[in-house]
Amino acid sequence: MIRSVPIAPIRGSVVFPHTDTLLSFVRQESVNALEEAFNQDRLIAIFTQRDSRIANPTKDDLYEYGTLATITQMMSVDDGIHALVRGQIRVKLSNIVTESPYLIGAVEEIPDIIDDSSEIKAISKNLSDSFKKALSLGKNVEVMMIVKLISENSSPIELTDQIATTLEIKLEEKQTLLQTFPLIERMKKVQEILNKEINVLEIEKKISSSTQRQFDENMKKNILREKKRAIEKELGEIGGEEGEIASEEVKEYKKRIVDAKMPKDVEEKALKELVKLSKMSSYNPESGFLRNYLDWLCDVPWSVVSPNNVSITKARKTMEKRHYGLKKTKERILEYLSVMKLLEEQKEKGKDNHQYQPTILCFIGPPGVGKTSIGRAIAEAMGRKFARISLGGIRDEAEIRGHRRTYVGALPGRIIQGIKQAGTRNPVFMLDEIDKVGADFRGDPSSALLEALDPEQNREFSDHYLEVAFDLSKVFFIATGNVLDTVPSALRDRMEIITFAGYTEEEKFEIGKRFIWEKQLKNHGLTNITISDKALKEIINRYTREAGVRDLERNISAILRKVARLVAEKKKYPQNIKEKNVREYLGSHKYSSLIAEKNNEIGMATGLAVTNAGGEILFIEVSLMPGRGRLTLTGQLGDVMKESAQAAFTWTRSNYKLLGLKADFASKMDVHIHVPEGAVPKDGPSAGTSITTALVSALTKVATRRDTGMTGEITLRGNVMEIGGVKEKTIAGHRAGLKTIILPKENQKDMEEVPLKVKKDIKFVFVEKIEDALKIALTKWPIVSKKIL
Ligand code: ADP
């Protein structure tokens, strides 16, 4: 039977059917898988990793056979979860269905064939006796397991699996046992290994009785190791004068250590660890951890560097070739590179300018505006490798700096992983989602990040796992994020912020036409297919509403997939994609009406905000009901927005005359302000003017103009104050089809950044007082007193 189940990869052990095993998981994907499974039918397929160093294993990194298990208990701990699982049945991994947010695989169950021949019974009896003997000789087995094995009347199949888990053998051997399918063969193998263990235990007992009292407690660990070696020597399992693990392996590590050209102290450390390894028995589970550690030390690019040649002309050309527009951004990057180049040259001439602190670039902007692809272009122009890690949701310092080696399943942190992935020690290293780094009791990741990014400190970046310092000073870090204000301020101070505000419709059109279309054609193996301008605009206006071009790219790719299929099936396909094809391939419009096409309404106002996805328009709704002057706020309102609402309410109360209201109007009614779901605006004061407008409209029953958007903070006295994000907000207003935008007077200076096309299509009005905004936003002014309440 084939079923699809969540998969939890494990390192360093094998779970057998018919056994209970306690497992710990730290990787987010595994935690997700476990939690999901626990909430569903509790079934999870457990597969062992071939190489425990791999952080995100896929199919080829896992052994083909594993165990389907039920989760009997689960407990969350600081850095992951502990789960008690009970193995049910052997399974084969057919394929991975999806990798995110956790692995799901199609697995095929391999049922055991029940065999109760007399031979099986005989071996089973033997196994049970041998196991008891091993126990009496001091075999180390968990109490839970002993109870199970002794008290339960296990079938031969169960008994074999249960004993198999207790065997002290290498991982590969355990896996081999798991995937030995004929029962009789498996039983014989288990018996053989168990006999060997009994042998060892007997010899050990002999030796220990004579040596035990000679050493004090502190030496116990060493003695055990010594004893084990003595035993193994006696059994002829290790050879060589010094009883080394396998001198071949040691030699190979030595070569790798030398080849890695590590700094002196690191090399010393590596060699010291290698000596430790060489003295260890290969049965010692610690030897696996040591190997892992040595592998990491050898794999980190201590001395691999890409040649350092910043050519400004080349950088300009590469960026131009791949990106439309972004003029200012490109200029700032080129300036930055120029300074870097000059400093490098000075350094080469021996004039080390200690005063200068190279800052780190930080790209801030909504998704899909080209931050990553500009980063890649920089790497290419500089002839450097490109690495990229995401910091989103990181709360634990250990994610940046690694876990200490004493931790089971410890790995280096993401910085060192990224460096290894780049393979050089001077890559262009992109740190995505720097605005989503969290902090809690597990430590503040931003301080570890600071150490990684700070040129003063990063020459000696210490990773808890590596234990030795790595020089990050040659790495070209670029951080990226959607918004600036959640970037930890200590980090913000060290970075040169470059903002990507989002594209206008026209820019998207050009980008689509010149870059994305061609790129996607190539990706889909198509040539000579064109798209009409109208069709492209149709996609932009009716199927996407975004600051960047990601959805545009996705939609174009959806169309080309359909065309590619027609071509492959040798059916008739359009050579030039027209509007009607777009509708045919993408279905009906996703965004049908522009805001400007909607009617004016009472108690509604159109605000402009900046969200994680860039600029957005948002609607403020106000309704009134009889009451006692209470103000209720619902929807996506943060604390600062609530304060704006209070200020707006106060202003209307003190200006009742101006608005033609009765002096005590407020005492007879309740006000409800609501910001409908949809875009989630960041909390900020800039909705002040729009909240006031909606409120005044509701109070006076005068409709607001729907094609008029506004943004601005207001004070209790009705002054309109400066706000941020003018470029993003005006582009969003343009996208939504607004005709007029009201801005604070103090923001007039920001108009320079606003794209020409936006300035041409929209009428901008700058105001100092809220009355001036009301005059424009309301359909009627001055308000003739209606004495409505
Ligand atoms: P971000 O990192 O900001 O989320 P990406 O760099 O992933 O965005 O960009 C998304 C896609 O849009 C990429 O395929 C990129 O090449 C394309 N793109 C974005 N901006 C431009 C531009 N100005 N010119 C050409 N292509 C662009």
Side-chain angles (χ1 to χ4, degrees):
M1 173 180 159
I2 292 200
R3 57 160 87 226
S4 122
V5 279
I7 290 184
I10 57 170
R11 303 187 254 227
S13 72
V14 175
V15 170
F16 282 85
H18 319 297
T19 61
D20 292 301
T21 316
L22 183 65
L23 298 169
S24 302
F25 296 91
V26 285
R27 287 182 287 207
Q28 194 53 47
E29 287 80 9
S30 304
V31 173
N32 292 346
L34 266 281
E35 278 172 352
E36 194 55 34
F38 197 69
N39 290 333
Q40 309 262 327
D41 51 8
R42 301 195 166 203
L43 279 178
I44 185 129
I46 296 174
F47 289 90
T48 302
Q49 270 179 234
R50 290 176 196 273
D51 177 351
S52 57
R53 280 170 303 164
I54 292 179
N56 296 307
T58 57
K59 181 165 190 277
D60 292 342
D61 304 319
L62 302 173
Y63 282 110
E64 198 180 357
Y65 294 94
T67 299
L68 186 66
T70 27
I71 308 168
T72 46
Q73 271 182 44
M74 211 162 87
M75 189 173 90
S76 292
V77 286
D78 282 2
D79 51 351
I81 45 178
H82 294 325
L84 187 63
V85 300
R86 169 163 297 183
Q88 300 292 352
I89 187 166
R90 290 173 161 75
V91 282
K92 177 179 172 183
L93 180 56
S94 308
N95 61 291
I96 298 279
V97 182
T98 169
E99 294 192 358
S100 140
Y102 52 85
L103 291 176
I104 296 182
V107 300
E108 185 184 344
E109 293 183 4
I110 307 165
D112 278 306
I113 296 159
I114 312 246
D115 177 351
D116 51 5
S117 63
S118 49
E119 189 180 5
I120 292 279
K121 279 186 190 148
I123 307 178
S124 176
K125 169 91 182 44
N126 237 338
L127 260 181
S128 169
D129 290 347
S130 304
F131 187 70
K132 282 180 195 149
K133 183 168 180 192
L135 284 181
S136 70
L137 283 166
K139 177 172 168 60
N140 205 355
V141 179
E142 272 177 49
V143 182
M144 202 165 75
M145 193 61 97
I146 302 179
V147 175
K148 195 174 180 111
L149 278 163
I150 294 177
S151 62
E152 283 180 22
N153 215 350
S154 305
S155 71
I157 297 172
E158 291 164 357
L159 184 76
T160 314
D161 280 337
Q162 285 159 0
I163 295 181
T165 42
T166 72
L167 296 175
E168 288 179 31
I169 46 176
K170 283 197 222 163
L171 185 70
E172 295 83 49
E173 288 179 80
K174 265 207 174 151
Q175 180 68 29
T176 312
L177 279 181
L178 181 76
Q179 55 194 59
T180 303
F181 299 113
L183 176 62
I184 195 151
E185 220 176 284
R186 189 157 76 231
M187 291 180 97
K188 281 183 180 163
K189 276 190 188 162
V190 170
Q191 178 75 64
E192 197 181 311
I193 300 168
L194 194 55
N195 286 345
K196 232 177 180 175
E197 274 191 16
I198 290 175
N199 253 340
V200 174
L201 288 165
E202 274 169 349
I203 300 169
E204 195 175 48
K205 205 165 184 194
K206 231 174 27 196
I207 299 174
S208 72
S209 58
S210 63
T211 53
Q212 207 166 24
R213 263 168 253 110
Q214 293 173 16
F215 302 94
D216 73 35
E217 262 302 304
N218 290 345
M219 297 286 285
K220 202 167 173 186
K221 244 188 165 174
N222 284 339
I223 308 164
L224 285 175
R225 213 168 276 139
E226 280 303 307
K227 272 197 308 197
K228 214 160 190 184
R229 274 185 34 179
I231 296 158
E232 280 160 3
K233 216 163 179 182
E234 187 133 337
L235 289 172
E237 276 177 354
I238 44 172
E241 276 292 290
E242 291 164 358
E244 287 176 349
I245 235 176
S247 47
E248 270 311 301
E249 192 185 355
V250 174
K251 249 192 239 155
E252 202 172 294
Y253 269 121
K254 214 170 249 170
K255 181 169 179 314
R256 280 175 68 191
I257 291 170
V258 174
D259 287 351
K261 300 209 182 71
M262 305 168 176
K264 214 89 243 88
D265 55 325
V266 181
E267 187 173 302
E268 271 165 23
K269 166 106 181 155
L271 290 172
K272 220 161 91 192
E273 298 288 322
L274 183 58
V275 170
K276 244 196 235 164
L277 177 71
S278 67
K279 287 191 177 149
M280 241 176 224
S281 141
S282 53
Y283 290 103
N284 187 339
E286 236 177 73
S287 69
F289 301 141
L290 251 183
R291 280 195 189 92
N292 243 342
Y293 178 67
L294 283 171
D295 285 338
W296 267 104
L297 278 187
C298 296
D299 289 347
V300 172
W302 299 101
S303 52
V304 191
V305 275
S306 307
N308 194 10
N309 51 356
V310 188
S311 152
I312 304 299
T313 337
K314 191 168 167 211
R316 200 191 63 233
K317 277 192 187 143
T318 319
M319 285 196 290
E320 285 301 337
K321 199 170 77 196
R322 304 239 209 101
H323 299 93
Y324 175 81
L326 298 173
K327 201 162 157 258
K328 268 204 170 152
T329 312
K330 289 175 190 162
E331 266 169 29
R332 289 211 33 207
I333 292 172
L334 290 177
E335 286 162 15
Y336 178 86
L337 292 179
S338 308
V339 174
M340 235 178 73
K341 186 177 165 69
L342 290 181
L343 283 172
E344 288 289 337
E345 282 172 7
Q346 278 193 354
K347 218 185 230 169
E348 272 163 31
K349 285 187 202 142
K351 284 190 224 155
D352 203 348
N353 190 347
H354 283 296
Q355 307 238 294
Y356 178 76
Q357 292 271 320
T359 39
I360 296 126
L361 280 182
C362 177
F363 296 166
I364 294 289
V369 287
K371 300 184 294 296
T372 314
S373 71
I374 284 263
R376 281 184 197 280
I378 294 178
E380 186 180 310
M382 295 172 76
R384 304 239 196 136
K385 291 269 192 275
F386 184 77
R388 186 173 164 213
I389 61 167
S390 171
L391 303 175
I394 286 190
R395 308 197 150 271
D396 188 353
E397 192 197 356
E399 299 250 14
I400 306 285
R401 219 198 256 290
H403 283 283
R404 295 197 186 279
R405 266 207 287 156
T406 43
Y407 246 80
V408 177
L411 281 178
R414 296 202 191 182
I415 301 271
I416 293 295
Q417 292 193 17
I419 293 284
K420 184 185 156 197
Q421 172 204 333
T424 61
R425 69 190 187 93
N426 62 344
V428 170
F429 197 138
M430 202 161 234
L431 303 163
D432 282 342
E433 305 199 302
I434 193 137
D435 53 339
K436 306 207 175 53
V437 175
D440 63 13
F441 60 93
R442 274 165 281 181
D444 183 1
S446 60
S447 67
L449 263 181
L450 202 60
E451 191 187 319
L453 297 179
D454 185 353
E456 291 269 290
Q457 303 179 51
N458 71 5
R459 242 170 250 283
E460 306 234 315
F461 175 72
S462 65
D463 182 281
H464 288 331
Y465 181 82
L466 282 193
E467 291 174 0
V468 285
F470 187 85
D471 179 2
L472 291 173
S473 63
K474 298 281 182 295
V475 177
F476 185 155
F477 283 108
I478 302 177
T480 80
N482 295 138
V483 290
L484 189 57
D485 46 3
T486 51
V487 177
S489 60
L491 282 171
R492 212 184 310 163
D493 293 345
R494 320 251 158 163
M495 300 194 289
E496 165 128 359
I497 312 287
I498 297 186
T499 37
F500 290 60
Y503 299 118
T504 61
E505 239 76 305
E506 286 63 33
E507 284 172 326
K508 287 187 199 170
F509 173 76
E510 296 296 333
I511 294 171
K513 198 166 158 161
R514 298 185 201 192
F515 295 90
I516 298 180
W517 184 259
E518 292 306 320
K519 188 163 89 187
Q520 291 300 333
L521 267 189
K522 222 186 269 164
N523 286 354
H524 288 80
L526 296 166
T527 45
N528 289 335
I529 293 179
T530 51
I531 182 161
S532 77
D533 289 359
K534 271 197 177 151
L536 189 53
K537 281 189 182 143
E538 168 107 351
I539 303 176
I540 294 170
N541 286 322
R542 300 298 188 183
Y543 293 88
T544 71
R545 186 152 293 172
E546 55 174 351
V549 289
R550 241 188 227 166
D551 266 348
L552 175 61
E553 188 160 28
R554 222 170 278 149
N555 279 303
I556 287 181
S557 139
I559 292 177
L560 291 177
R561 257 197 323 269
K562 301 238 155 83
V563 177
R565 179 156 171 207
L566 292 177
V567 174
E569 288 175 347
K570 301 219 166 13
K571 289 191 181 147
K572 205 167 155 276
Y573 64 91
Q575 292 274 343
N576 180 23
I577 306 290
K578 299 233 170 56
E579 282 162 282
K580 73 171 194 316
N581 305 111
V582 170
R583 237 158 292 162
E584 180 189 343
Y585 295 146
L586 297 181
S588 53
H589 291 161
K590 267 215 193 108
Y591 302 96
S592 46
S593 61
L594 291 175
I595 155 106
E597 295 160 10
K598 290 195 176 155
N599 292 333
N600 297 334
E601 260 184 74
I602 290 172
M604 284 273 259
T606 310
L608 298 167
V610 179
T611 72
N612 278 349
E616 290 274 0
I617 59 167
L618 77 163
F619 302 110
I620 312 278
E621 289 176 12
V622 173
S623 45
L624 306 173
M625 56 218 107
R628 274 192 253 134
R630 268 173 309 206
L631 183 62
T632 318
L633 304 148
T634 52
Q636 307 293 325
L637 291 157
D639 285 343
V640 182
M641 276 174 97
K642 287 180 183 160
E643 277 169 26
S644 302
Q646 280 292 358
F649 195 33
T650 308
W651 182 82
T652 54
R653 287 164 74 166
S654 48
N655 288 275
Y656 67 96
K657 267 193 201 140
L658 175 76
L659 303 173
L661 302 170
K662 277 190 188 166
D664 60 346
F665 77 92
S667 59
K668 293 186 194 131
M669 63 182 180
D670 288 343
V671 176
H672 182 178
I673 301 181
H674 179 68
V675 181
E677 305 265 342
V680 181
K682 287 187 307 141
D683 189 21
S686 73
T689 46
S690 47
I691 294 177
T692 317
T693 306
L695 183 59
V696 170
S697 162
L699 290 170
T700 59
K701 303 270 184 285
V702 175
T704 53
R705 291 183 209 282
R706 287 305 288 283
D707 63 358
T708 301
M710 65 202 85
T711 175
E713 177 176 356
I714 67 150
T715 65
L716 292 177
R717 289 165 192 274
N719 293 326
V720 178
M721 314 289 286
E722 182 177 8
I723 44 80
V726 169
K727 186 172 176 192
E728 290 86 344
K729 289 173 175 174
T730 52
I731 293 176
H734 186 250
R735 184 158 68 233
L738 294 182
K739 294 280 179 292
T740 309
I741 289 183
I742 305 172
L743 292 173
K745 182 115 190 206
E746 290 169 12
N747 282 106
Q748 207 157 5
K749 61 179 183 350
D750 300 320
M751 288 308 284
E752 209 181 291
E753 330 175 325
V754 175
L756 267 183
K757 176 77 181 159
V758 174
K759 281 194 234 181
K760 216 172 95 202
D761 291 350
I762 293 180
K763 184 174 154 216
F764 285 94
V765 185
F766 300 93
V767 299
E768 275 175 291
K769 288 284 197 189
I770 184 72
E771 295 95 293
D772 302 329
L774 292 172
K775 277 176 203 162
I776 295 154
L778 295 174
T779 46
K780 220 166 42 185
W781 188 274
I783 296 162
V784 186
S785 163
K786 276 203 198 145
K787 302 277 181 263
I788 49 165
L789 281 160

